[in-house]
Amino acid sequence: MAKYKTEPLKLWNKAKEIRQQYYKNYATAHEKGGIRWAGGAWTFDAVPAGLGEDVYSLTSEPYGASVAWNKNFALECQEAAEAFGFARDLCSYMRNYWGSILIDKYVFGGPFPKPDFLWQDHICCSHAKWYQNISYLEGGIPMYCVDMGAGAYKPFAEVTESQIDYIANQLLDGIEWLEKVTGRKFNDELFFEACWNDFRSTSRWAQICELNRAVPAPLEEKTMYSLYVLATLQKSWKVVADFYDELYEEVKDRVDRGIAAVENERVRVITDTQPPWAFLKIFRYMEKYGCVSVGSIYTYGLEGMFVYDKEKHEFNHRPLPPKKPETREEACRMLADWHMCKPEYQHFVHPEYKTLMMDAICKQWNVDGVMLHYNRGCEGLSVGIAEVRLGLLKRGRKVMTFEGNMGDEREFDEARTVQRIDAFLETFGIRKSE
Amino acid sequence: MYIEEFKKYYEKRHEYAKDFKKKHPDWKIVGTFCTYYPEELMYAAKVLPVRILGSHEPQNVTEPHIFGMFCPFCRDVLAQGLQGRYDYLDGIMIAQSCLHVRQSYTSWDLHIPVDFRYYLPMPHHLQSARAKDFLKAELEKFKKALENWTGNKITDEALDEAIEILNENRRLLRQAYDFRKKDNPPMTGLEAMYMVVSSQMMHKKDHNEILKNLIEKELPNRDLGIGDHIRLMVLGSENDDVEFLDMVETITSNPAKFVIDDHCTGSRYFWNQVEPKADRLMAIAERYINRPPCPTKDWPNRLRLEHDLNLAKEWNVQGAVLLQQKFCDPHECDIPIFQRAFEEQGIKTLFLELDVLVPVGQFKIRTEAFLETLSSEDLF
């Protein structure tokens, strides 16, 4: 007998269609006389939007994850990257991406579509180097990269004008660079609109995540991966911003009607870092125990814009800015300030900031336990993870760890992970239903 | 002899620091991670920066703190703190560098009590015209933090004096390196490593005195009889692996010596000077931005590659050994490209991956084979 009612998400197919359209737009951009560029999921995609309405992007992390899901293709890519001389312990998304170039195959079919320029931002040790090597492997594509290393955001650190200036001024220089490499005049109106869509997408996604505080949770993390990904593709795309508005209404309706993602929800957990993409079935396995993963700082805060409230020890969505930008300078400063606040960026400065945010999530989302993925595939999101474990334990949270790799299945031991999950979930006094 | 002094200070780094503290009670000692820390400001505030390095010994204290996929160097560094070997430090500071060693700093901050801790967001986009203003603003903040902590006002005079002490050290180290261009270099690679790394652990005035004597009285007439040895370059991530350098330089079948390097424990640390100007903080900012970069800050163009190829040419290098700390992402991103570029210039390369302990036996076999390829004309 099910404890809660459940039903499929009505917008599921629409999310899939948007994703499919995105990758197709990129592949066919040149056929329509358009421009295509490549950059990371964290990058300021609102800026190239100012080049016109026929400008399409390919973001690298979601691409690397798509490759990872296709085990044979991933192996081919990884072996090509290793044969070139790249170390096997480097970011697995990066190796999947470089491998695609080396074998000249696009995971969605056809040869790998070469971008016209590279527009990236630098957050971890690999982000700029990733694109430096794309440029090298593709024979010298023009590259621009914005350094985000201006320090942590409030309340973890004071944010001074010079820190905002550093990022905003790099964006302003980047606009001039874009005009130079594409020969196009930059359209500020399109840029302002794209900025606003970025703010809408990322603020609204955070609000959707907040709805998962409800018991039963209206969404579970495996499904959330297919939803948050749209913001990693192009958060400044109106289609994405509008979709999140629609999604918010549907998820709110599920909460109002008590619709659960997992009908026998008993234990609520959160995870951390990217999952092993080729093994998402572990989430379904956990459901046999009545365990629902209600999200993670990764699914919430990679694209969702939250603010940590030190006084209340709360993690809440960041409201939209009071008004749209009206000048190029203002837009760049608003973008810089907005993205410095990104929750997933804070732990690059200190793991304690992440611990505080995760602990607040545990409190507000009614979480019983934390599953930390010691992810060999991503140094950026695994940095400080061992200290996060200690910090959460110190605060009385139940924590388990499992080791793996988001994009390289050779480093994931499924049987061992399942055994660890069994042991962890049994500590909550629950048993698996067959 | 003077050159042997450096080894002594390298090996007795803790004794030196403790002794320094006794002799200079008005100074404080701050442990630093990486080499982007602005030493000039610290000297001007009567703070002695000492670089924290590992001890190349097995340890079992860092596993709960740093995930094993991060480089052995950052874990070895943290182990020193957890084992209480730097218990004389008054503070710690890091100028933002790679993620790996950043964890040594943050775990130290969480678990090892010190009076002063400072995270300076050193920019990565050094090739941006915006980096200078940003770094200068960050130096202003760091200056205030040092003043508040020490109670010492950092005056222009104090800064000028600090700049000169540090610049002198950099000039002297460059002069010593120039001797290595000779056909018969008067210094081994291991000795050069001791010379540079010891400067990161002691007051530069003390170091300068030894350097001056070395350059004036010892190096001009020192004959190691190594004029016929294969000339090697060593480059890559942090390397103060004495055992490895010694092993390579004592191979007898095809003797070789390191004549130049690009490491943060070598030339990259001291290569350029502060160019004095009225705006002292800007002058300091420019020095750190223009220094030979760590690969994590070397983009979009690979300026380090151009610099390294020039070094190889100027020091007449026959082969290059690329050393990399295991899991060091910034270097791992560069190494295949560097190897190809060196080979294109006719310089053969050997790539080796370092851990805390070096498998000297295996590395020796590989190094001997490499040296054999460099001397194949003699063999056949």
Side-chain angles (χ1 to χ4, degrees), chain A residues 89 133 147 348 350 387, chain B residues 102 107 109 124-125 302 332:
Chain A
D89 55 84
N133 283 339
D147 177 19
F348 287 106
H350 207 300
E387 291 294 358
Chain B
R102 223 180 283 180
S107 287
D109 175 40
H124 293 302
H125 196 177
R302 278 198 165 92
E332 285 176 343

Side-chain angles (χ1 to χ4, degrees), chain B residues 311-367:
Chain B
L311 290 180
K313 193 175 168 189
E314 274 194 60
W315 269 259
N316 194 21
V317 163
Q318 295 163 271
V321 180
L322 286 85
L323 287 180
Q324 175 224 305
Q325 291 284 336
K326 193 174 180 180
F327 305 130
C328 173
D329 303 79
H331 280 282
E332 285 176 343
C333 285
D334 270 359
I335 279 169
I337 286 82
F338 271 56
Q339 281 190 289
R340 283 169 172 78
F342 270 77
E343 302 274 350
E344 277 168 18
Q345 298 296 314
I347 301 168
K348 288 184 180 171
T349 63
L350 172 67
F351 167 65
L352 295 170
E353 196 174 65
L354 293 176
D355 209 322
V356 170
L357 296 177
V358 171
V360 172
Q362 291 173 31
F363 278 9
K364 188 173 183 184
I365 293 167
R366 291 176 65 182
T367 309

